[in-house]
């Protein structure tokens, strides 16, 4: 993935974030998501590349989406696989809460796991813990392993977990063990990246969330030298075993078989992001632990973007000022309507 193309992708998440920002705090997460999707699609289609979405957001909750198999770009230039989540934290955007970001990962044609938009169990740690985690083991055993490798007491361990009812037992068990739990309502991509940054207090992230976010996360974790394991889970194992969820699960399993993705099987980082020819990019919508949110005054907006290249292990934080009254910035306004 060449440097100039990587920089182009930073403009994509900036555009999506600016479009979503117009819906900040308005209570309509689908409208925010739709604005971000349209902005991303428009911008991606202007890049000289032969792009394809290999895993995208939207199917799992009937939301707007960049769909799997969608062709993007001019069709000229490098073949690019794209894993995308226009807004990681749609509910936070709609409610005006912290930690909402726009994220995208791009790589070579065969870089990323190809799977439908379904549930994925994830366990993430930083570089110093590579090779320690095992999703086949109980969460308590993983906590003990991580604390031991870090030379910490259990009471000094910090684990980030998605605050979902399905995680109530996991959260309770970690707390009973004596570790600190940071619960986040959504936005596990940002949490996973935090695990891999040297100045972060987060030691491990666990949660069952979306597969698109999981693949995007894997790109960042690989580029940062961290470690991750994941497991694709059919819907009925996460949302309840009933006829409706069973029917959805059957379709998910069928599509996984067609793409060669393994279900109910622990996947290593190298199966999620298969090489270093990748780029991860995220732009803040609302301010959080990872990125500053958009600051807007009149037609002047400031964004902060995190850009990580896998081949060079380069980490850039890009602060951009956007003059939204300029003709070339009309996209942010038009696509947010």
């Amino acid at each position: 993935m060449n440097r100039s193309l990587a920089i182009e992708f930073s403009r994509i998440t900036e555009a999506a974030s600016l479009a979503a920002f117009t819906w900040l705090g308005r209570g309509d997460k689908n409208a925010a998501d739709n604005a971000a999707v349209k902005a991303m699609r428009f911008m991606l289609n202007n890049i000289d590349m032969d792009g394809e979405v290999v895993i995208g957001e939207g199917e799992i909750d009937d939301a707007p989406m960049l769909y799997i198999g969608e062709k993007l770009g001019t069709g000229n230039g490098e073949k690019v696989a794209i894993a995308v989540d226009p807004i990681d934290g749609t509910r936070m955007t709609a409610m005006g809460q912290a930690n909402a970001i726009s994220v995208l990962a791009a790589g070579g044609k065969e870089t990323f796991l190809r799977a439908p938009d379904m549930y994925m169990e994830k366990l993430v740690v930083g570089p110093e813990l590579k090779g320690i985690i095992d999703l086949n083991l109980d969460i308590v055993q993983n906590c003990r392993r991580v604390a031991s490798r870090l030379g910490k007491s259990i009471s000094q361990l910090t684990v980030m977990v998605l605050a979902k009812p399905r995680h109530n037992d996991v959260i309770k068990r970690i707390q009973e063990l004596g570790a600190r739990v940071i619960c986040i309502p959504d936005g596990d991509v940002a949490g996973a990246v935090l695990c891999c940054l040297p100045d972060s207090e987060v030691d491990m992230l666990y949660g069952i969330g979306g597969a698109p976010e999981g693949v995007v996360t894997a790109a960042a974790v690989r580029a940062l030298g961290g470690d991750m394991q994941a497991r694709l889970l059919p819907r009925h194992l996460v949302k309840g075993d009933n006829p409706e969820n069973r029917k959805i699960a059957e379709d998910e399993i069928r599509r996984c078989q067609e793409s060669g993705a393994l279900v109910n099987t622990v996947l290593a980082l190298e199966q999620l992001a298969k090489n270093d020819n990748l780029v991860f990019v995220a732009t803040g919508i609302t301010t959080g632990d990872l990125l500053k949110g958009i600051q807007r005054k009149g037609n002047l907006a400031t964004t902060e973007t995190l850009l990580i290249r896998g081949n060079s292990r380069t980490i850039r934080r890009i602060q951009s000022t956007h003059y939204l009254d300029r003709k070339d910035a009309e996209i942010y306004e038009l696509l947010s309507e």
Side-chain angles (χ1 to χ4, degrees):
M1 186 67 57
N2 67 64
R3 186 182 305 169
S4 60
L5 192 54
I7 294 297
E8 284 287 336
F9 287 127
S10 71
R11 297 177 61 238
I12 306 305
T13 54
E14 286 174 355
S17 294
L18 287 163
F21 186 75
T22 61
W23 290 94
L24 182 70
R26 297 191 184 185
D28 191 338
K29 68 176 187 177
N30 276 352
D33 210 16
N34 184 54
V37 166
K38 289 197 292 184
M40 268 197 172
R41 179 176 284 121
F42 179 90
M43 297 293 285
L44 283 164
N45 278 327
N46 281 282
I47 295 178
D48 281 330
M49 65 173 182
D50 182 4
E52 180 186 358
V53 177
V54 297
I55 187 163
E57 180 71 15
E59 297 165 275
I60 203 166
D61 52 7
D62 197 28
M65 61 185 291
L66 287 158
Y67 62 88
I68 296 169
E70 182 173 356
K71 301 295 184 179
L72 297 165
T74 64
N76 301 316
E78 191 173 344
K79 289 188 179 294
V80 178
I82 298 168
V84 63
D85 189 358
I87 304 179
D88 185 32
T90 52
R91 189 164 60 87
M92 281 115 77
T93 302
M95 301 305 293
Q97 298 172 336
N99 284 311
I101 61 176
S102 176
V103 293
L104 177 149
K109 185 178 179 182
E110 301 300 328
T111 297
F112 301 122
L113 173 77
R114 293 173 180 258
D117 182 4
M118 58 190 294
Y119 283 100
M120 177 183 279
E121 185 179 16
K122 311 157 198 176
L123 188 60
V124 179
V125 291
E128 66 273 32
L129 293 165
K130 197 167 181 66
I132 282 295
I133 56 173
D134 186 348
L135 203 50
N136 283 312
L137 298 178
D138 182 82
I139 188 66
V140 169
Q141 290 175 277
N142 277 292
C143 286
R144 293 188 186 279
R145 282 185 166 205
V146 168
S148 177
R149 169 63 69 89
L150 292 174
K152 290 184 174 184
S153 66
I154 290 293
S155 63
Q156 295 174 310
L157 190 69
T158 301
V159 184
M160 186 170 280
V161 183
L162 283 173
K164 304 290 185 183
R166 58 182 172 268
H167 296 144
N168 286 346
D169 182 61
V170 168
I171 292 169
K172 181 180 179 181
R173 294 180 64 217
I174 296 172
Q175 290 173 332
E176 288 176 345
L177 183 65
R180 181 188 298 114
V181 178
I182 297 177
C183 293
I184 54 173
D186 293 292
D188 57 347
V189 175
V193 174
L194 282 173
C195 289
C196 300
L197 297 179
D199 55 351
S200 173
E201 294 183 0
V202 180
D203 299 308
M204 181 168 64
L205 175 135
Y206 173 81
I208 298 171
E213 294 94 333
V215 174
V216 172
T217 293
V221 173
R222 176 157 187 146
L224 290 168
D227 203 4
M228 174 179 178
Q229 290 191 356
R231 180 161 34 208
L232 291 168
L233 299 175
R235 188 178 182 89
H236 71 290
L237 297 182
V238 179
K239 298 294 286 184
D241 194 351
N242 57 51
E244 181 182 357
N245 287 337
R246 277 273 179 177
K247 183 177 180 180
I248 294 172
E250 288 172 3
D251 185 62
E252 290 171 341
I253 293 169
R254 176 187 59 79
R255 293 176 63 191
C256 282
Q257 290 171 340
E258 290 174 353
S259 66
L262 299 174
V263 182
N264 292 321
T265 301
V266 173
L267 303 172
L269 176 61
E270 293 73 20
Q271 293 171 281
L272 303 167
K274 301 173 186 178
N275 55 60
D276 292 326
N277 181 31
L278 57 82
V279 60
F280 167 89
V281 59
T283 300
I285 301 171
T286 59
T287 296
D289 296 321
L290 182 64
L291 288 163
K292 294 178 182 177
I294 293 172
Q295 301 294 315
R296 182 167 180 176
K297 186 175 183 180
N299 285 327
L300 192 68
T302 301
T303 58
E304 184 179 44
T305 298
L306 180 67
L307 174 63
I308 307 170
R309 291 183 65 218
N311 284 331
S312 63
R313 290 263 172 102
T314 305
I315 304 171
R316 289 184 172 90
R317 285 186 181 271
I318 304 169
Q319 184 169 313
S320 303
T321 301
H322 307 265
Y323 292 87
L324 300 181
D325 55 345
R326 290 175 58 89
K327 186 175 180 60
D328 61 1
E330 290 178 356
I331 178 65
Y332 309 131
E333 300 298 330
L334 294 174
L335 295 183
S336 65
E337 295 175 355

